[in-house]
Amino acid sequence: MSRVLIVAEHLNGQLNAATARCVSCAAALAPETIDVLVLSADGAAVAAQAARIAGVGKVVVADNAANAQAVAQVLAPQVAEAAAGYSHVFGPSTTFGKDLMPCVAALLGTAQVSDVMAVEASHVFKRPIYAGNAVITVQAPTDKPVVATVRTASWPAAADGGNAAVETASLSATLPTHTRFVSLQQGKSDRPDLQSAAKVVSGGRALGSAENFAIVYSLADKLGAAVGASRAAVDAGYVPNELQVGQTGKIIAPELYIAAGISGAIQHLTGIKDAGTIVAINKDAEAPIFEVADYGLVGDLFQILPELEKAL
């Protein structure tokens, strides 16, 4: 019977929604237990949030001043120690998980399974390759723990309503000194987080300038949506790179995705293919984005977006 340990992602005392999506993936294994590991300097608040996720058996909290910042080389030895007795160790396929889980896999002497999008059996999974254009089935070794990152866009967040026990753990893993935290630089915004937002409005190269991107921000604010962008818009300097959606940006799965002035290159479509409803606005009727859009409107975005905002 499988026993799954999920490494919680959190920042500033807030649990990332990706953790609940990992729980959904773990539940597909029909395991004996799903436990969540919280590594923090003071993880009480995060642990309380994790305990409310339906399906979680218990939350293990390992407080250590060294965990104040999520440095993979510091967290990995602790995860490897805590993984004793577990058949699976999962983390989200986010920047956090992609940084941490390969280190965990190396310490446990196994290969990592990346971007799990479906569970076929306890050690058999499906994952995307070739920028999401193909899906392969992979089998992990059965004589070692399965270390995997979960493609969060492919899994719904597990519901609230759980009441898991919270336990404290004292981990004795030797922490490295060759890697240290220097600083964290992050954009500040009152808008929803792009990775977890239910609604996203994105702009592309057709906006023409950073100043013109204001109409995208305005519509997003009206909808209570996050703002995204194509790689072309980011490369042109219209918006910062943390707003990039696509293969080399963020893979997202909002309920509503509005693409304004985005042609729909395959790299961008990779990042939005799991969205619930895709709305495309583009003056080029032959733009590839219309092939995947649920609703398409051919026209000038500089006229359509203000009209849409006014109607709202």
Side-chain angles (χ1 to χ4, degrees):
M1 181 66 75
S2 301
R3 293 174 54 85
V4 184
L5 181 67
I6 295 172
V7 184
E9 178 176 352
H10 57 91
L11 181 65
N12 298 329
Q14 293 297 314
L15 184 69
N16 192 297
T19 304
R21 294 176 182 269
C22 289
V23 172
S24 291
C25 178
L29 292 164
E32 176 185 340
T33 186
I34 301 173
D35 298 339
V36 175
L37 175 64
V38 176
L39 298 174
S40 179
D42 181 4
V46 175
Q49 296 167 54
R52 292 195 294 269
I53 301 175
V56 173
K58 70 177 179 181
V59 178
V60 180
V61 183
D63 285 341
N64 188 322
N67 297 337
Q69 302 294 335
V71 178
Q73 287 69 26
V74 173
L75 301 184
Q78 300 174 75
V79 176
E81 179 183 340
Y86 288 93
S87 60
H88 297 69
V89 184
F90 285 175
S93 189
T94 58
T95 302
F96 168 82
K98 290 177 180 179
D99 191 30
L100 172 62
M101 301 310 288
C103 300
V104 174
L107 291 173
L108 293 177
T110 188
Q112 175 186 289
V113 180
S114 301
D115 287 333
V116 171
M117 62 186 301
V119 173
E120 298 290 295
S122 64
H123 290 73
V124 182
F125 309 93
K126 287 188 175 181
R127 63 176 298 264
I129 58 172
Y130 303 139
N133 288 304
V135 176
I136 61 170
T137 301
V138 296
Q139 179 161 353
T142 57
D143 60 340
K144 295 179 182 295
V146 175
V147 177
T149 57
V150 175
R151 183 182 174 92
T152 54
S154 298
W155 299 91
D160 289 332
N163 188 26
V166 178
E167 301 179 0
T168 58
S170 179
L171 302 178
S172 59
T174 301
L175 305 184
T177 58
H178 66 277
T179 303
R180 62 189 176 88
F181 173 80
V182 176
S183 66
L184 174 64
Q185 297 181 11
Q186 59 183 139
K188 294 183 179 180
S189 175
D190 294 330
R191 298 183 181 89
D193 175 63
L194 176 59
Q195 194 86 54
S196 57
K199 293 171 283 189
V200 175
V201 181
S202 281
R205 191 204 312 267
L207 270 298
S209 69
E211 291 73 22
N212 288 344
F213 229 87
I215 64 172
V216 173
Y217 287 120
S218 182
L219 178 60
D221 291 342
K222 192 73 172 180
L223 286 168
V227 172
S230 67
R231 177 170 181 170
V234 171
D235 287 349
Y238 302 164
V239 291
N241 57 15
E242 61 259 28
L243 299 187
Q244 184 177 325
V245 173
Q247 179 186 359
T248 54
K250 290 182 169 66
I251 308 295
I252 60 175
E255 297 173 12
L256 171 66
Y257 185 77
I258 299 177
I262 295 175
S263 62
I266 186 61
Q267 291 84 357
H268 187 80
L269 300 183
T270 296
I272 63 169
K273 70 185 190 70
D274 292 310
T277 300
I278 299 174
V279 177
I281 301 170
N282 200 298
K283 66 180 180 180
D284 179 7
E286 302 300 320
I289 190 75
F290 288 121
E291 297 178 11
V292 300
D294 298 286
Y295 300 94
L297 185 56
V298 178
D300 185 345
L301 68 88
F302 292 105
Q303 295 179 0
I304 293 171
L305 293 191
E307 290 176 5
L308 178 58
E309 183 180 345
K310 183 179 180 180
L312 288 168

